[in-house]
Amino acid sequence: MKELIFDKNSRKVILIAILSVVVIHIAQVVHASVTAEPGSEEEPLVSQSYVDSKFEEMAKKLEEAEKRLEEIEKYGKFEALELNKDQVLIAGASAELILRGGKAWQ
């Protein structure tokens, strides 16, 4: 078998040829992605009703979040109460009570 022997100049020529092919291929891919036509596989279109439905879903989620935030602000604050003798305080399961003075038993 005959061995192929490449001198310095032939190696440069081969390297330039390979790099040229790679650069041309990259340029073609970039050009195809930049010049994609609307409605093609690369650049699909959506209908106005689809976009509107997504905005409605987001608006509903935002309203729910605002309602939850209002509830947290309403019930998440500490409020000082003053009870007179023989008054009874009935609190929810997650209530926190801090006795500031007096007696808390019957």
Side-chain angles (χ1 to χ4, degrees), residues 26-100:
I26 290 172
Q28 288 175 341
V29 170
V30 168
H31 182 269
S33 66
V34 170
T35 60
E37 289 292 319
S40 67
E41 287 184 15
E42 293 84 21
E43 183 69 28
L45 293 176
V46 294
S47 66
Q48 182 67 38
S49 61
Y50 174 79
V51 173
D52 291 341
S53 69
K54 291 299 178 184
F55 275 115
E56 287 175 12
E57 288 176 19
M58 290 172 44
K60 287 178 185 177
K61 289 180 182 179
L62 182 60
E63 286 176 16
E64 291 173 7
E66 287 175 348
K67 286 179 184 177
R68 279 188 248 141
L69 183 60
E70 288 174 5
E71 287 180 14
I72 290 170
E73 288 177 350
K74 181 179 176 183
Y75 296 110
K77 293 182 180 178
F78 288 102
E79 188 175 330
L81 298 175
E82 187 173 330
L83 300 177
N84 295 321
K85 187 176 181 180
D86 297 329
Q87 281 186 310
V88 177
L89 174 65
I90 300 174
S94 63
E96 294 182 29
L97 303 174
I98 300 172
L99 183 64
R100 291 186 174 179

